[in-house]
Amino acid sequence: LSSSLAGSSPSAGSGTLLPAELDIEILRKKYRCEQTRAEGYEAYVKRAELRALVNGSGVDGDGSGDCLVVAEDEAPVEKHPIQARVEELVARENDRARERSRRRLESNAWQTEVHQQCIAELDKLREEERRVIDMAGGG
C-alpha cells in the first residue's frame, strides 16, 4: 500500500509528504534543523572567540566577554528561535525559583527571630514569677 501511495501520489507536487518521507530524521532536517543550527551557532561563537584571542583583543577588547569579533565577509549566525525561546524560558523560571527560595528563606529567618523573641519573653516572665513566688514565700 505504501509503495502504491508513494509512486502515485496525486498531491506529490502540492507540498504534501509521501509516506517514505515521514521518517523523523527527514522531517527534522526538512522542517526544523534545530540540532544543525545549534551546532552552527556554537561553531560561529567559538570561531569568533578564537579570532578575538588571535587578534589579541580578548573576546570584546576590554576582556568583559560581551561582544563577538566577526570577520567582515562572515555572515552572522543566530540561534534557532525555538532554542533561544527555550533558553529564555528556562532562565526566567530559574529566576522565579530563586526569588521564591529567597522569600521563603527570609520568611523562615523572620519566623525564627520571632520565635526566639517569644522564648526570651517567656523566660523573663518565668524569672519574674519565680521572684514573686520567692518574695511571697520568703517574706
Side-chain angles (χ1 to χ4, degrees):
L1 179 64
S2 64
S3 62
S4 64
L5 287 174
S8 64
S9 176
S11 60
S14 66
T16 60
L17 293 173
L18 300 174
E21 295 177 323
L22 294 177
D23 180 39
I24 190 70
E25 292 303 319
I26 292 172
L27 291 173
R28 272 196 193 126
K29 188 175 185 180
K30 187 170 185 177
Y31 290 104
R32 301 200 60 175
C33 297
E34 287 129 347
Q35 186 64 32
T36 305
R37 193 164 180 174
E39 290 170 359
Y41 178 76
E42 290 171 11
Y44 169 76
V45 169
K46 186 69 173 173
R47 183 175 175 189
E49 290 172 351
L50 291 173
R51 183 177 291 115
L53 291 173
V54 167
N55 292 341
S57 61
V59 175
D60 69 347
D62 65 354
S64 65
D66 292 336
C67 180
L68 296 175
V69 176
V70 180
E72 292 176 17
D73 62 343
E74 186 175 9
V77 177
E78 298 178 359
K79 283 186 181 180
H80 194 284
I82 294 173
Q83 182 183 10
R85 181 70 173 150
V86 166
E87 290 174 2
E88 175 188 332
L89 292 174
V90 167
R92 189 183 315 159
E93 186 57 34
N94 284 342
D95 290 342
R96 286 180 23 189
R98 275 192 217 90
E99 181 63 24
R100 280 193 310 261
S101 177
R102 184 188 60 78
R103 279 186 273 152
R104 186 174 54 245
L105 290 173
E106 285 176 354
S107 174
N108 288 347
W110 181 81
Q111 289 173 355
T112 302
E113 185 178 331
V114 168
H115 181 71
Q116 289 174 347
Q117 288 176 353
C118 288
I119 290 174
E121 289 294 322
L122 288 173
D123 288 343
K124 288 179 186 177
L125 288 173
R126 287 184 185 133
E127 288 291 323
E128 186 66 29
E129 286 178 355
R130 284 187 197 132
R131 282 188 207 137
V132 169
I133 291 173
D134 287 344
M135 283 186 190

